[in-house]
């Protein structure tokens, strides 16, 4: 077989209606890569941006969308990592290409699928949980006893992050969201100490009140300009602000709260931006190992949960993208391939 079915975008970019399933060449493998027959793949917000031509895709990525998947190993190249064989059930992270029947991916980014988890659950772990681990540890310098705030608390990465923070000894876990329902979810389902509705509350003032004026040690942010001033206000001395996206735009607008830049010096705040997808394989591989060692056992015993909003057959990829664009989800959107 030299071809396969994959989701493509008419014209290379565009609205949801441009997504369709087409016949394309099946990828070839070399070096340490494996060819995976995909069972399920997870959607991420970067997919929406890439579909619209607004995401900087790394040069090694195929044009096909999708970075996380689960499936079975069909073939292995000669330099593949030991411990994998044809027929193994796996899940993993890729630079792209998961919206397809087959994907070529480095074995350094694969994990064996636990029997305790479904294909759908495994497809929702790699990008989400590795991003949370990266933000917490490699950038935010998390350690037991530190407090942490996760913006967009009902997003998949923050759902993972709150679980990781609580399990790994955070002194307090906070979250924000844009609805009371999502805030309740963070507190009741994920164990956050408190969650604040950014539409109705002065969340940074509430964080300061809850921490007796100290602020939080780590803030993980995807919003950008709209939360910038609040982040500087809510951060503790020597606080770390990790910026992973800029969903409120690229620039501060007049109607947004204006930042007090004296906070940078007075509190010795460090802000750092990052993108997991642009990192090299060695960097991503270290995070895969961390996921394997620190998170996978807790998935197996049920301590960590993959919260799935909805599963679609991949023929309904347009409906899946439409649901993600609605911003009404609490957890992952997964597509399955029969």
């Amino acid at each position: 077989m030299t071809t396969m079915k994959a989701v493509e975008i008419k014209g290379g970019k565009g609205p949801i209606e441009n997504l369709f399933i087409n016949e394309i060449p099946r990828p070839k493998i070399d070096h340490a890569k494996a060819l995976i027959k995909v069972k399920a793949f997870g959607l991420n917000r970067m997919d929406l941006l890439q579909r619209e031509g607004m995401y900087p895709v790394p040069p090694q990525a195929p044009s096909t969308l999708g970075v996380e998947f689960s499936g079975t190993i069909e073939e292995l190249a000669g330099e593949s990592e030991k411990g994998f064989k044809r027929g193994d059930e796996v899940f993993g992270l890729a630079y792209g290409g998961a919206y397809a029947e087959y994907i070529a991916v480095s074995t350094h980014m694969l994990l064996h699928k636990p029997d305790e988890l479904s294909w759908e659950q495994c497809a929702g772990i790699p990008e989400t949980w590795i991003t949370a681990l990266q933000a917490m540890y490699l950038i935010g310098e998390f350690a037991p006893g530190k407090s942490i705030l996760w913006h967009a608390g009902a997003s998949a990465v923050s759902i993972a992050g709150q679980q990781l923070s609580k399990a790994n000894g955070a002194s307090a876990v906070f979250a924000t969201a844009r609805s009371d329902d999502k805030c309740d979810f963070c507190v009741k389902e994920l164990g956050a100490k408190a969650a604040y509705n950014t539409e109705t509350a002065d969340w940074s003032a509430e964080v300061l009140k809850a921490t007796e004026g100290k602020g939080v040690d780590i803030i993980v942010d995807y919003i950008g300009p709209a939360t910038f001033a609040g982040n500087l206000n809510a951060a503790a001395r020597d606080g770390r602000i990790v910026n992973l996206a800029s969903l409120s735009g690229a620039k501060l607008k007049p109607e947004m709260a204006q930042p007090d830049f004296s906070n940078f010096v007075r509190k010795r705040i460090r802000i750092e931006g990052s993108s997991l997808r642009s990192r090299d394989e060695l960097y991503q591989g270290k995070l895969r190992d961390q996921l394997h060692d620190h998170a996978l056992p807790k998935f197996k015993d049920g301590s960590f949960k993959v919260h799935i909003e909805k599963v679609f057959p991949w023929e309904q990829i347009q409906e899946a993208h439409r649901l993600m664009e609605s911003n009404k989800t609490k957890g992952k959107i997964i597509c399955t391939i029969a």
Side-chain angles (χ1 to χ4, degrees):
M1 185 190 299
T2 59
T3 63
M4 66 175 183
K5 291 181 179 178
V7 175
E8 289 207 294
I9 310 164
K10 292 175 185 174
K13 64 179 181 180
I16 289 172
E17 292 72 23
N18 284 24
L19 294 171
F20 73 109
I21 295 176
N22 195 22
E23 198 85 14
I24 68 169
R26 193 165 112 170
K28 293 181 172 61
I29 57 171
D30 55 17
H31 302 297
K33 288 183 178 179
L35 183 70
I36 311 298
K37 184 173 175 57
V38 177
K39 292 280 191 178
F41 58 84
L43 272 64
N44 291 281
R45 194 155 291 277
M46 73 177 81
D47 301 347
L48 306 184
L49 296 172
Q50 185 179 337
R51 190 199 74 223
E52 294 169 352
M54 297 169 59
Y55 189 91
V57 180
Q60 65 270 51
S63 61
T64 305
L65 298 169
V67 298
E68 58 183 350
F69 60 89
S70 61
T72 57
I73 295 178
E74 191 86 358
E75 296 176 27
L76 286 165
E79 299 168 28
S80 297
E81 187 176 302
K82 292 180 179 178
F84 293 105
K85 65 183 186 302
R86 190 169 182 229
D88 279 356
E89 298 180 344
V90 294
F91 64 105
L93 185 67
Y95 287 109
Y99 286 26
E101 289 182 313
Y102 294 90
I103 184 171
V105 62
S106 169
T107 50
H108 302 316
M109 292 312 300
L110 291 178
L111 289 154
H112 286 100
K113 173 188 170 296
D115 292 336
E116 296 86 348
L117 298 179
S118 68
W119 294 112
E120 293 84 356
Q121 289 171 314
C122 285
I125 291 174
E127 169 69 16
T128 300
W129 287 77
I130 287 177
T131 297
L133 284 165
Q134 178 203 27
M136 281 178 64
Y137 287 98
L138 297 191
I139 304 172
E141 299 180 345
F142 177 84
K146 288 191 175 185
S147 57
I148 188 166
L149 166 70
W150 294 87
H151 282 300
S155 68
V157 174
S158 285
I159 288 172
Q162 288 167 79
Q163 292 181 74
L164 285 164
S165 303
K166 200 167 187 306
N168 292 342
S171 59
V173 181
F174 299 96
T176 69
R178 292 197 295 176
S179 72
D180 291 340
D181 177 51
K182 290 182 177 181
C183 288
D184 288 344
F185 171 76
C186 292
V187 174
K188 294 174 182 176
E189 295 291 329
L190 305 177
K193 180 178 180 179
Y196 308 105
N197 186 338
T198 56
E199 300 294 302
T200 58
D202 184 347
W203 63 268
S204 66
E206 293 296 328
V207 168
L208 288 173
K209 188 188 300 182
T211 57
E212 298 181 341
K214 177 182 180 292
V216 284
D217 298 309
I218 303 164
I219 297 173
V220 183
D221 182 45
Y222 322 86
I223 313 303
T227 49
F228 188 49
N231 287 343
L232 295 180
N233 189 42
R237 180 169 290 177
D238 294 315
R240 301 288 184 256
I241 300 170
V242 183
N243 185 261
L244 300 178
S246 189
L247 297 177
S248 61
K251 296 180 181 179
L252 279 168
K253 299 172 185 174
E255 65 271 19
M256 293 176 178
Q258 299 302 299
D260 178 356
F261 281 88
S262 69
N263 280 314
F264 272 113
V265 177
R266 183 166 54 84
K267 296 185 181 183
R268 302 191 295 263
I269 292 171
R270 188 180 79 192
I271 181 168
E272 184 173 340
S274 185
S275 169
L276 177 62
R277 194 175 182 185
S278 62
R279 301 285 189 169
D280 63 34
E281 192 176 296
L282 179 63
Y283 181 98
Q284 291 190 5
K286 289 178 181 177
L287 285 165
R288 179 209 65 170
D289 294 343
Q290 195 170 22
L291 176 66
H292 177 274
D293 295 343
H294 299 294
L296 211 54
K298 292 185 179 296
F299 282 117
K300 291 180 180 180
D301 68 19
S303 302
F304 285 166
K305 291 181 169 50
V306 184
H307 289 264
I308 295 176
E309 176 72 26
K310 191 167 183 179
V311 177
F312 291 89
W314 77 318
E315 292 86 355
Q316 296 178 17
I317 188 62
Q318 291 188 8
E319 288 79 359
H321 269 234
R322 198 166 285 114
L323 178 59
M324 176 158 274
E325 283 194 347
S326 74
N327 293 319
K328 294 178 180 177
T329 58
K330 295 192 288 289
K332 294 296 296 187
I333 299 170
I334 305 294
C335 285
T336 55
I337 301 177

